[in-house]
Amino acid sequence: MRRVRLAILGASPCHLCTAACCKQNAHEYAALLRGDGEVRRFAAFAVDVPIRTDDGRLIIEKVLPYLNGRCQFLGADDRCTIYADRPQACRAFQCVEDFNRDGIASHGPFLKRNAGVLRMLQAM
């Protein structure tokens, strides 16, 4: 008999992860910066990127770029070196939100690109 998990309750199991969200996997940049304070705090590390809005307008956003396919703040041990001061985009991300996002066994784009993370969630 196959066990089906409809949802995962609680926070993402980051302590089990391999920092897949901090490595380049079909994303153009590591994190979108929000708010003046965040933009100022990371100004020395950020770049401008043109982004098209839903209504077709082109705007310029500040982002943290990947360096060699990794977030520039990801340590050699795959742990965030600025965890206590990380951007809001990083704080908000939860891999579990992609689990069964579009129906049973129909996962969101992050889990489709990261089979290892999907297997980890399925084993929970």
Side-chain angles (χ1 to χ4, degrees), residues 108-121:
F110 177 78
L111 292 179
K112 288 177 182 175
R113 290 189 304 266
N114 294 280
V117 178
L118 176 58
R119 284 192 299 276
M120 176 190 67
L121 293 175

Side-chain angles (χ1 to χ4, degrees), residues 21-114:
C21 57
C22 303
K23 297 174 184 168
Q24 195 163 14
N25 53 27
H27 294 104
E28 295 180 35
Y29 47 84
L32 176 65
L33 299 176
R34 289 287 180 213
D36 292 339
E38 195 168 275
V39 168
R40 276 192 303 277
R41 204 165 59 246
F42 292 102
F45 308 97
V47 297
D48 291 338
V49 171
I51 295 178
R52 188 144 321 265
T53 63
D54 290 340
D55 62 3
R57 293 178 300 121
L58 190 64
I59 60 173
I60 303 297
E61 295 278 10
K62 292 281 188 191
V63 303
L64 293 177
Y66 286 109
L67 297 179
N68 299 316
R70 298 167 57 89
C71 173
Q72 57 195 302
F73 298 109
L74 187 61
D77 61 353
D78 281 345
R79 296 290 177 226
C80 181
T81 61
I82 61 163
Y83 189 80
D85 196 38
R86 68 197 186 280
Q88 287 301 314
C90 302
R91 293 173 189 275
F93 182 78
Q94 297 284 317
C95 65
V96 296
E97 291 176 1
D98 261 13
F99 192 78
N100 287 337
R101 188 186 88 176
D102 301 318
I104 295 175
S106 182
H107 308 294
F110 177 78
L111 292 179
K112 288 177 182 175
R113 290 189 304 266
N114 294 280

Side-chain angles (χ1 to χ4, degrees), residues 1-14:
M1 184 159 113
R2 184 168 182 230
R3 188 176 78 174
V4 176
R5 180 180 299 278
L6 297 178
I8 295 175
L9 302 177
S12 291
C14 294

